[in-house]
Each structure stands twice: as structure tokens, then as C-alpha cells.
Amino acid sequence: ARKCVLSGLWKNELGSNMTISAVNTDGGFTGLYHTAVTATDKHIRVSPLKGSQKPTNQRKQPTFGFTVSWTFSNSMTVFVGQCFMDDKGKETLKTMWLLREEVSSPGADWKATRVGTNIFTRIK
Ligand SMILES: O=C1C=CC(=NNc2ccccc2C(=O)O)C=C1
């Protein structure tokens, strides 16, 4: 199939894994994000994710967004990107993210959000 599908198991260049459930008819999906980032020494590093993608009946390489609510910190990350498929059928999720940390006061708001890129490739 020439369609790039979000459901399944993915890993990013940090070594984090994410599992995305079946995408429902309105493009919604949920999943679990297992971070490789040792942000804290806590062992629980699986966090829930929720997102949506553009339907693939019209699109072959849909855009999507999802939010990870980290279970081990007061931070939140939103990812936005597109699902690409190369001519060999290999799928890649090219994303940018915003990581919002909880800060103690509005005066610290300026330093609360980080931005970056992540590339996810399919596992198995
Ligand atoms: O409280 C925190 C601090 C750092 C975090 N880094 N993980 C990420 C941040 C952005 C993109 C990917 C990841 C990842 O874990 O793969 C997560 C929660």
C-alpha cells in the first residue's frame, strides 16, 4: 500500500519508543510513549499520548499532531509532523516538538519551552 500509516511501533533517534493504536474514523489515535530520556531517576517512564492525523482516504502522506503528557514530570510535549514513505515503502515520521516545563512563576515563562526535531522510524 502506498499509504503511510501511523499505527504501530516507532522509535526516534534518542531511542525512545512509541506505540500508536489504530487510527479511528475521525483520524484520532492514542498510544504510549516510552522515553529513553533519563529526565529523572524514576523508573516509570511510559506516558500516554493522544493525537490526530488527516484521513488517508484522500492523503497518502498525512500530517499529524500528538501530545505526550509525561508521567514522571510536570512537563508536556506536543509533536507535529508528517508521515512519509520512500519508494521502497520505508516509513518515516518527520516531526518538530515543543517541550513545556512547569515553571514557578510568569517571570520564568521565557525559559519554559524548548523546541526540537525528531525523526521516528518503524520498529519490526
Ligand atoms: O520532563 C521531561 C524532560 C525531558 C523529556 N524529554 N523527552 C523528549 C522531549 C522531546 C522530544 C522527545 C523526547 C523523548 O523522550 O523522546 C521528557 C520529559
Side-chain angles (χ1 to χ4, degrees), residues 12 14 16 33 35-37 39 70 72-73 75 77 79 97 99 101 118:
N12 69 8
L14 302 174
S16 300
Y33 199 103
T35 181
V37 169
W70 304 107
F72 54 86
S73 70
S75 308
T77 297
F79 291 81
W97 50 262
L99 167 63
E101 304 212 4
N118 264 189

Side-chain angles (χ1 to χ4, degrees), residues 2 11 36 51 58 66 99 109-110:
R2 292 292 309 148
K11 71 173 182 330
Q58 292 100 358
F66 63 89
L99 167 63
D109 183 64
W110 66 273

Side-chain angles (χ1 to χ4, degrees), residues 6 18 20 29 33 49-54 61-68 77-84 92-99 114-120:
L6 274 184
M18 91 175 148
I20 293 182
F29 59 84
Y33 199 103
L49 70 89
K50 289 180 183 170
S52 56
Q53 70 161 80
K54 292 296 180 184
Q61 300 188 116
T63 56
F64 61 85
F66 63 89
T67 301
V68 181
T77 297
V78 293
F79 291 81
V80 67
Q82 188 170 353
C83 188
F84 290 110
T92 306
L93 308 181
K94 300 272 282 178
T95 72
M96 289 191 74
W97 50 262
L98 296 172
L99 167 63
R114 293 179 209 156
V115 62
T117 61
N118 264 189
I119 297 177
F120 291 86

Side-chain angles (χ1 to χ4, degrees), residues 7 16 40 45-46 48 51 77 84 87-88 90-91 108 111 115-116 118 120:
S7 41
S16 300
T40 62
R45 293 191 295 162
V46 180
T77 297
F84 290 110
D87 47 15
K88 296 183 184 63
K90 185 174 176 299
E91 295 159 300
K111 64 178 175 180
V115 62
N118 264 189
F120 291 86

